[in-house]
């Protein structure tokens, strides 16, 4: 829904439709999504972010604006040791 830049981080904010925070397994959601997001480490289009050690922060909210998860991909750490 919205992208922001803070220092050396890019923050993506998403609203998940038809999903309530109370209906989710936080551990399953965070773990599965983090694994999927780590695939960005090897994507050629992400080279500029790797080279500049940019952090990518993904925030997921339900329709009531409750934070469901925040997942940070630190290119200086996660992409060398995913």
């Amino acid at each position: 829904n919205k992208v922001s830049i803070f220092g050396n981080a890019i923050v993506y904010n998403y609203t998940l439709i038809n999903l309530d925070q109370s209906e989710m397994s936080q551990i399953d959601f965070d773990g599965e999504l983090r694994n999927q997001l780590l695939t960005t480490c090897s994507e050629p289009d992400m080279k500029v972010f790797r080279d500049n050690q940019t952090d990518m922060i993904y925030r997921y909210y339900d329709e009531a604006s409750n934070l469901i998860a925040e997942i940070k991909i630190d290119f200086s750490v996660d992409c060398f040791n995913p």
Side-chain angles (χ1 to χ4, degrees), residues 14-51:
Y14 297 102
T15 300
L16 302 176
I17 307 299
N18 297 325
L19 186 65
D20 186 285
Q21 182 182 26
S22 64
E23 299 171 358
M24 296 192 55
S25 167
Q26 189 73 26
I27 295 170
D28 291 345
F29 183 81
D30 289 0
E32 182 61 33
L33 195 52
R34 181 172 176 71
N35 287 337
Q36 290 179 15
L37 291 171
L38 281 172
T39 64
T40 62
C41 291
S42 60
E43 292 180 11
D45 292 344
M46 301 303 278
K47 183 179 184 327
V48 68
F49 299 112
R50 288 191 303 272
D51 290 350

Side-chain angles (χ1 to χ4, degrees), residues 50-70:
R50 288 191 303 272
D51 290 350
N52 291 294
Q53 298 180 348
T54 302
D55 295 334
M56 307 294 262
I57 301 170
Y58 300 86
R59 294 182 181 149
Y60 296 88
Y61 298 88
D62 65 13
E63 288 182 285
S65 298
N66 296 310
L67 182 65
I68 294 172
E70 179 176 290

